[in-house]
Amino acid sequence: MTSTYVYSNSTPHAVTHHRNLAAVWDPATRRVLSASGVTLSGASCLEVGAGAGSIASFLASQVGPRGRVVATDTDPLPIAHHNQLRVLPPHDITVADVPDPPYDLIHARLLLMHLPRRREVLRKLADALHPGGVLVVEDMDMTWRHGRVLRAPSIGDRSLFEFFHDALANVFLTQEADTTWASKAAQAMTQYGLVDVQAEMWTRSWRGGEAGCQLVAGTIVQLHDKLMRAGMQDCDLARVRELMRDPKMMIRMPPLVSTLGYRS
Ligand SMILES: C[S@@+](CC[C@H](N)C(=O)[O-])C[C@H]1O[C@@H](n2cnc3c(N)ncnc32)[C@H](O)[C@@H]1O
């Protein structure tokens, strides 16, 4: 099956992109995972779409000598060795079985929104939980367009960034992502038999030069041609990148929605 996933881990920019993802989202994810109610010490954990593995490594540091963490990705980046962590060779969760079930905790961040068969995947993951285990899926709610720009050097720059937001959402849609999926995960978890389903979301402001803006600038580098096809001009993309370095600019990332459901 040909992947429609919008980014590539094989480009020279991928490592920086994943470092920025971790800088922006890991504090929220670590908090959610630590507060999930599942005791991490001794737990079996699966990290799907692990990327560069910052969260897989975090889980490995939490599970102790009796726990285990499995990390999967279609195109895994190098992840630091840890005795409790096993990184699988390339594994496509849309076609392959969930490896080595069952798990106490399964986590997938910024993955399901990008997968055309996300509901099937969610069902597979839900079925791979131990009784009492938790599935945590986290995706950006891209419908949050207004309020993305908190401060801009000019009205034109504000409009330009909003236009960029729309173009990026269109690129995602063209690649079969669902930019509204973050608000649908709770319904799907309930449908597939998970209980105590709950969701929370998190975002914060980032000034030009800070990690959130570096993430946006890196996205432009990675998706430049696709953004052009979505209606952006070269000079506009250059201006957005400039703004992402300008401390007078302040943006908010689309919120990360963390949805949790438990196997009864
Ligand atoms: C946006 S990145 C997020 C990485 C990491 N979860 C994070 O939040 O930092 C999505 C990751 O999912 C991986 N991926 C895409 N399609 C996949 C699939 N079908 N099965 C497993 N992983 C996939 C990509 O290779 C990429 O590393």
Side-chain angles (χ1 to χ4, degrees), residues 5 9 18 21 49 51 73-74 91-94 109-111 115:
Y5 176 60
N9 286 353
H18 283 272
L21 283 174
D73 200 291
T74 39
H91 178 278
D92 183 344
I93 194 65
T94 61
R109 186 175 71 188
L110 303 173
L111 174 68
L115 299 182

Side-chain angles (χ1 to χ4, degrees), residues 112 118-119 122-123 126 135-139 178 180-200 257-262:
L112 269 72
R118 60 190 70 78
R119 283 172 189 278
L122 188 130
R123 176 180 222 153
L135 173 60
V136 184
V137 302
E138 300 187 292
D139 286 285
D178 181 351
T180 69
W181 160 254
S183 306
K184 297 175 182 162
Q187 181 81 55
M189 281 191 184
T190 306
Q191 189 181 339
Y192 297 137
L194 298 186
V195 299
D196 294 334
V197 174
Q198 52 196 272
E200 62 178 86
V257 181
S258 309
T259 309
L260 292 78
Y262 297 79

Side-chain angles (χ1 to χ4, degrees), residues 150-151 204-214 243-252:
L150 301 177
R151 185 172 78 194
R204 55 156 279 193
S205 64
W206 298 96
R207 283 189 295 265
E210 294 181 332
C213 291
Q214 288 177 27
L243 289 170
M244 293 301 95
R245 292 191 296 269
D246 182 348
K248 291 198 284 302
M249 186 77 181
M250 191 192 284
I251 60 166
R252 189 157 55 186

